[in-house]
Amino acid sequence: MMSASDGWLIAVAGYAILLAWPLSTVILVWFAVRYVGTHRATVVNKALASGGGKPEQFWIIVPALNEEAVVANTVAAALRLRGPAGTLTRVLVVDDGSDDRTPEVLATIDHPRLHVMRRELPEARQGKGEALNAAYRLIASLTASEGVPAERVALGIIDGDGQGSDNILAEVGRLMGDTKVGAVQVQVRIRNRDKLLGAVQDLEFGAIVDACQNMRDALDTVGLGGNGQFSRLSTLISLGSAPWSSCLVEDMELGLRMHLQGVSIRYTSRASVTQQAVVDIKRLARQRTRWAQGNLQCARYLGSLFTSGNIARTALVEILHYLVSPWANAVVTVMLTLTGTAGVLGLLTGHPMPLLPTWVSLGESLGVWAVVTTFPGLVWVLVHRAKRADEAMPRMLLAALAYPLFLLLGLTATYRALGRQLTGKQAWAKTERLVEEPLALQTA
């Protein structure tokens, strides 16, 4: 039988955990409003005054495995990108052993700044990280043969369904004007947000992730994403012949390795890369499970993070929070469920919890829970509207109401990821792409 003190402890803990969410939302909203998507202005303006680190060459790497539905548009969009005056921009598509029409589609694109690397089995299909490593080694070799300093070359990753904004290279070049900056992450947005799942994912990337990255930018702990990451070639060279790993979130691991070496990573929302949303529930759950499993794999860096002398204490706390929070959220969900279950059982057995003495009080608590879980999504819609103003309010309000269920899917994915990791499962099916209207190819 539960004692009165146990009941008070469970109830207070439950309410404290529940109310921590809207409080953390308010803090993140402050960063979303306070920072415009680049590092602290006083630091940036001084460091960029000379622009001594600006890249002279940009390489856009497009990893492609069975991307026949989207690769033509992705390449066309990448070839449109222009860096600052006097810079050279080239596109390298890594066909990682595609067995659909991806090779045929690429063969129809004739452009002087397009390079295609075809990888065959058994080297191919060893993960996105290995495909990126192959592209990096080729670019490093070409750069050396051309006599271009590695610190003046930037490598950008745009996924098979990605399309960069027109100013993306200019903005990356501006931030890399600071010679201490080894990598830049641009904002990610969703293109097909006309459906509810797409709108929810754009709310996530366009407002929530943006705010998190702005906070991390202020703390110098920016994380790299799989899409829209740009790295200085010299920084990648310092990490060896294989900067990217076989981790399921090779982008996160690359960012951690850079931080351990004291490399500065910047974030900007002044430029962006768009991608397709996953609009099928099962595929979305599979994607988020893969991300969660990759997060779990990166936990092996916890020891190195604690002992590294290149990471400030405040930055270390944020990085640890980033690694641990998915699993903390999973534990919190269990605690809240136990609190609710204990309240119901207490009423049914005649031994109610102190803070839930009646069914009415239980109903009121459920009402508080509904308000608290709905509040963050509504706030983020206001942030999205204020900063983006490119989506209809009714659709985004509907996305806000669906956001708690979206988070519940993420928590389910976390538990699935733990099960997969414990059983040694690593294989993943590719995310399906949607066919879009073709983009015109520029010949120059």
Side-chain angles (χ1 to χ4, degrees):
M1 182 182 300
M2 182 184 300
S3 66
S5 59
D6 291 337
W8 273 103
L9 181 62
I10 293 176
V12 171
Y15 276 109
I17 292 170
L18 188 62
L19 295 176
W21 185 16
L23 177 61
S24 64
T25 297
V26 171
I27 295 173
L28 281 177
V29 167
W30 184 86
F31 278 96
V33 175
R34 174 67 177 82
Y35 292 92
V36 294
T38 54
H39 192 37
R40 295 161 298 226
T42 55
V43 177
V44 169
N45 292 339
K46 183 183 296 185
L48 301 185
S50 64
K54 289 183 178 180
E56 298 175 359
Q57 292 190 8
F58 290 90
W59 282 89
I60 305 298
I61 303 175
V62 180
L65 171 59
N66 292 342
E67 301 282 14
E68 65 172 306
V70 293
V71 71
N73 276 359
T74 301
V75 170
L79 289 170
R80 289 181 178 181
L81 300 178
R82 294 289 187 274
T87 61
L88 173 64
T89 303
R90 288 177 282 191
V91 178
L92 172 60
V93 180
V94 185
D95 180 2
D96 199 32
S98 298
D99 55 15
D100 65 351
R101 294 187 61 256
T102 295
E104 287 84 350
V105 173
L106 292 172
T108 64
I109 305 175
D110 182 15
H111 198 283
R113 291 187 289 109
L114 173 64
H115 304 257
V116 177
M117 171 190 286
R118 170 72 180 181
R119 283 164 54 83
E120 302 287 355
L121 293 173
E123 288 79 12
R125 299 197 178 198
Q126 299 300 311
K128 180 181 176 182
E130 286 305 312
L132 295 177
N133 286 331
Y136 148 73
R137 289 189 288 266
L138 174 62
I139 293 171
S141 176
L142 291 174
T143 298
S145 66
E146 294 171 355
V148 180
E151 63 270 15
R152 290 304 188 93
V153 179
L155 278 62
I157 312 302
I158 293 183
D159 283 346
D161 62 337
Q163 296 178 20
S165 60
D166 292 341
N167 68 329
I168 191 171
L169 300 185
E171 177 65 7
V172 169
R174 187 184 73 84
L175 291 174
M176 284 190 173
D178 181 353
T179 56
K180 295 180 180 179
V181 174
V184 174
Q185 175 64 46
V186 306
Q187 185 184 43
V188 177
R189 295 292 306 279
I190 297 297
R191 283 198 305 279
N192 56 326
R193 50 184 185 267
D194 54 323
K195 295 184 178 180
L196 179 58
L197 270 180
V200 174
Q201 289 167 71
D202 193 60
L203 181 65
E204 175 190 33
F205 285 108
I208 305 170
V209 172
D210 176 64
C212 291
Q213 288 283 46
N214 277 316
M215 181 179 70
R216 301 186 71 188
D217 192 64
L219 298 173
D220 203 7
T221 61
V222 171
L224 293 177
N227 203 4
Q229 60 169 281
F230 287 78
S231 302
R232 206 183 293 273
L233 178 57
S234 56
T235 300
L236 296 174
I237 291 175
S238 71
L239 296 174
S241 62
W244 289 275
S245 73
S246 58
C247 176
L248 292 174
V249 283
E250 76 295 321
D251 49 316
M252 178 190 293
E253 184 170 8
L254 177 63
L256 289 175
R257 293 181 65 193
M258 288 184 179
H259 283 304
L260 286 171
Q261 287 204 353
V263 174
S264 180
I265 305 176
R266 297 273 61 84
Y267 170 75
T268 178
S269 56
R270 293 178 176 175
S272 64
V273 60
T274 64
Q275 63 187 35
Q276 290 184 349
V278 181
V279 294
D280 178 85
I281 289 290
K282 289 184 179 179
R283 294 189 178 97
L284 181 60
R286 184 174 63 200
Q287 179 199 64
R288 298 310 165 106
T289 302
R290 175 171 59 83
W291 290 1
Q293 187 174 358
N295 183 286
L296 183 60
Q297 292 172 345
C298 285
R300 65 177 179 267
Y301 285 94
L302 289 175
S304 299
L305 291 169
F306 275 114
T307 58
S308 173
N310 292 324
I311 302 176
R313 183 173 299 178
T314 53
L316 176 60
V317 170
E318 164 54 21
I319 293 175
L320 294 177
H321 170 264
Y322 185 68
L323 286 175
V324 175
S325 59
W327 309 100
N329 291 338
V331 173
V332 166
T333 302
V334 172
M335 293 181 65
L336 290 176
T337 302
L338 290 176
T339 301
T341 303
V344 172
L345 290 177
L347 291 171
L348 291 175
T349 60
H351 300 283
M353 294 175 61
L355 294 182
L356 299 173
T358 66
W359 289 103
V360 173
S361 61
L362 178 62
E364 291 173 346
S365 295
L366 291 176
V368 171
W369 178 86
V371 171
V372 168
T373 55
T374 305
F375 170 78
L378 296 173
V379 172
W380 287 122
V381 164
L382 297 178
V383 173
H384 190 283
R385 182 71 175 180
K387 298 192 72 173
R388 311 299 163 221
D390 57 2
E391 189 53 68
M393 181 61 80
R395 180 180 293 130
M396 296 311 296
L397 287 174
L398 186 59
L401 295 177
Y403 182 60
L405 296 177
F406 182 75
L407 291 179
L408 182 61
L409 182 145
L411 290 171
T412 302
T414 298
Y415 288 114
R416 289 182 59 197
L418 181 60
R420 287 182 58 88
Q421 188 68 15
L422 291 176
T423 56
K425 295 180 180 179
Q426 302 290 325
W428 286 94
K430 178 178 169 52
T431 302
E432 185 176 344
R433 308 298 193 193
L434 304 174
V435 177
E436 299 176 325
E437 291 293 323
L439 296 178
L441 180 68
Q442 294 185 354
T443 57

